[in-house]
Amino acid sequence: MVRRRRRRWVRYGVAGVGVVLLGVGVAGWVVYVKLDGNITPDEAAAAELARYAKERPTSLVKDAQNILLIGSDSRSGDGNEKYGRDSGTERSDTTILLHLAAGRRSATAVSLPRDLMVDVPGCRRANGKRTEPMFAMFNYAFQTGGSACTIRTVEKLTGVRIDHHVVVDFSGFKDVVDAVDGVEVCLKEAISDKAAGLRLPAGKVTLDGEQALGYVRARKSLGNGSDTDRMDRQQRFLGALVNKVQSNDVLLNPVKLYPVLDAATSSLTTDPDLASLRGLYELVRGLRDIPTEHVQFLTVPRESYVYNANRDQLVEPEAEKLFERLRTDMPVVVSKEVPTNASPSESGDHGPYRSGVVRSAASGAFSPTPPAPTFRGNTAAEDSCR
């Protein structure tokens, strides 16, 4: 009798564990399906890029990836109407070319000024009509032909193959910041900006989503009012956000990770290959182990456009040196200050990427590698309050 009762309790115990595991599995599946369904695949861009497949640059280094991050200023969609009237068009308020090195030894984020004068190819508008090729401001590409036109413009400008793209709107940016309980920044002086909705004291301040959006978008009341100054501020903020995510173990804690994923995926439009949790997981998995000192931010070398001081043009040969390093997955180093009398390839500390030897593909002989170019920028490890 005792043995029979013990067997009964064992059966009940096993059944109970099975029910719990089943419940966890079902809950996990429900969460997965929800998050997976949040992401919007950019099928139209994929079709347009396929049309021009033969003219696009090829990837030169296996495992290295280039992702174009586009911040849209669209006023359509939930939560975006408060920032202005929906005119039916949208521009690329912020565009960043993110290069992930092979082996994920580093991540380099290069800001592309929206006022940069570039060659924009003929692109397909949302109404199906096609534009003529034009020399125009960079954000004209997104306004006229969306993400596909922006990608083709960037590839034409840099020679870098764009493997994936991500478009995020105002509301999505705010939600991600709120999901990590705000991001701390250091303000040298108090801010009072009615247009940006900002009223902040000097010193260390933790910005919530609404404040963070105003902080990274403001121009006239912060710094010298230039778009370059604003991009520097955006880069420092993104570095602080990366630090916050890593320091709080968000990527390793499901309870903390879920709201971040829910906020992020709800606001993303990506290429079809990336438009799934599996695709995003493969991307994030390679990022989580990159030391913050190897997560770098810089702006493409630029100067005032010769015919209009309110527009930008590339500084050559520095810009091409940067693009070549990205194409060939060679290291790039950033520093707060780069000597004005030294070229990028001659200046600065080369950090973890020091000169060594490399075998020539043509002759098979070994020769010293050139020092890694240094550009003005910052890393996610830097404290903005120091």
Side-chain angles (χ1 to χ4, degrees):
M1 179 72 70
V2 173
R3 186 176 301 169
R4 189 180 303 129
R5 190 178 299 124
R6 185 179 298 143
R7 284 199 299 267
R8 190 183 307 135
W9 277 110
V10 169
R11 288 199 300 271
Y12 290 162
V14 171
V17 171
V19 169
V20 171
L21 291 176
L22 178 61
V24 171
V26 170
W29 176 250
V30 170
V31 169
Y32 179 90
V33 170
K34 180 184 185 303
L35 294 177
D36 197 59
N38 283 349
I39 310 168
T40 303
D42 198 346
E43 302 286 359
E48 180 71 355
L49 291 173
R51 180 186 180 97
Y52 294 95
K54 291 183 178 180
E55 74 174 32
R56 300 182 64 193
T58 58
S59 298
L60 300 180
V61 180
K62 184 180 180 181
D63 189 42
Q65 285 195 327
N66 298 293
I67 304 165
L68 199 64
L69 309 176
I70 304 172
S72 166
D73 72 352
S74 172
R75 269 62 173 182
S76 65
D78 293 340
N80 293 320
E81 66 281 351
K82 63 189 292 185
Y83 301 106
R85 183 177 61 86
D86 180 13
S87 63
T89 63
E90 55 183 338
R91 292 170 295 181
S92 50
D93 203 51
T94 300
T95 304
I96 296 175
L97 174 55
L98 175 63
H99 175 75
L100 306 180
R104 302 300 177 262
R105 65 182 184 273
S106 68
T108 302
V110 181
S111 294
L112 300 172
R114 65 180 188 176
D115 296 337
L116 187 67
M117 298 303 294
V118 298
D119 288 312
V120 179
C123 296
R124 182 182 184 276
R125 291 182 179 272
N127 61 9
K129 295 182 179 179
R130 293 196 170 271
T131 64
E132 294 296 323
M134 182 180 296
F135 185 67
M137 283 179 17
F138 174 66
N139 68 350
Y140 172 80
F142 191 75
Q143 181 180 353
T144 56
S147 51
C149 191
T150 302
I151 290 169
R152 292 178 59 218
T153 300
V154 171
E155 291 184 339
K156 184 179 182 66
L157 178 73
T158 66
V160 174
R161 171 76 177 212
I162 303 301
D163 301 296
H164 299 291
H165 70 276
V166 176
V167 181
V168 62
D169 60 20
F170 292 157
S171 182
F173 175 83
K174 291 191 309 177
D175 290 345
V176 170
V177 174
D178 285 334
V180 297
D181 297 324
V183 174
E184 185 180 82
V185 298
C186 190
L187 305 178
K188 294 181 178 180
E189 55 187 38
I191 298 175
S192 181
D193 187 323
K194 185 176 181 180
L198 286 179
R199 192 175 183 84
L200 302 169
K204 289 187 177 181
V205 181
T206 298
L207 304 180
D208 62 22
E210 190 72 43
Q211 292 169 327
L213 181 62
Y215 178 71
V216 299
R217 296 192 69 238
R219 289 182 66 174
K220 297 180 180 179
S221 64
L222 298 181
N224 59 18
S226 70
D227 199 42
T228 298
D229 187 76
R230 184 175 73 157
M231 286 185 292
D232 288 345
R233 189 166 64 251
Q234 291 171 348
Q235 292 164 8
R236 290 193 297 272
F237 180 85
L238 290 174
L241 176 59
V242 170
N243 240 326
K244 179 67 177 287
V245 170
Q246 289 202 357
S247 63
N248 278 16
D249 294 326
V250 171
L251 298 179
L252 301 176
N253 187 330
V255 175
K256 295 180 179 180
L257 181 60
Y258 175 77
V260 177
L261 286 177
D262 190 34
T265 55
S266 296
S267 63
L268 295 184
T269 298
T270 77
D271 58 279
D273 288 341
L274 205 58
S276 68
L277 276 187
R278 180 180 294 276
L280 288 177
Y281 172 75
E282 291 298 327
L283 175 64
V284 172
R285 184 177 64 175
L287 294 176
R288 66 186 182 192
D289 295 326
I290 299 177
T292 52
E293 61 268 25
H294 294 174
V295 179
Q296 307 168 127
F297 300 90
L298 69 151
T299 299
V300 64
R302 45 72 57 202
E303 62 187 0
S304 294
Y305 180 47
V306 65
Y307 298 114
N308 186 339
N310 294 319
R311 302 290 180 260
D312 292 331
Q313 65 184 24
L314 295 180
V315 175
E316 298 294 2
E318 285 78 5
E320 177 52 31
K321 290 179 180 178
L322 172 62
F323 299 150
E324 182 180 8
R325 306 295 287 196
L326 299 179
R327 288 193 296 266
T328 57
D329 196 32
M330 296 296 287
V332 173
V333 178
V334 298
S335 175
K336 288 184 177 179
E337 299 294 335
V338 175
T340 56
N341 61 346
S343 69
S345 61
E346 297 171 341
S347 60
D349 174 20
H350 305 308
Y353 310 112
R354 300 189 180 277
S355 300
V357 292
V358 63
R359 184 192 296 271
S360 167
S363 65
F366 287 93
S367 61
T369 59
T374 301
F375 297 88
R376 191 176 70 84
N378 65 284
T379 73
E382 295 175 17
D383 187 343
S384 62
C385 292
R386 292 179 182 176

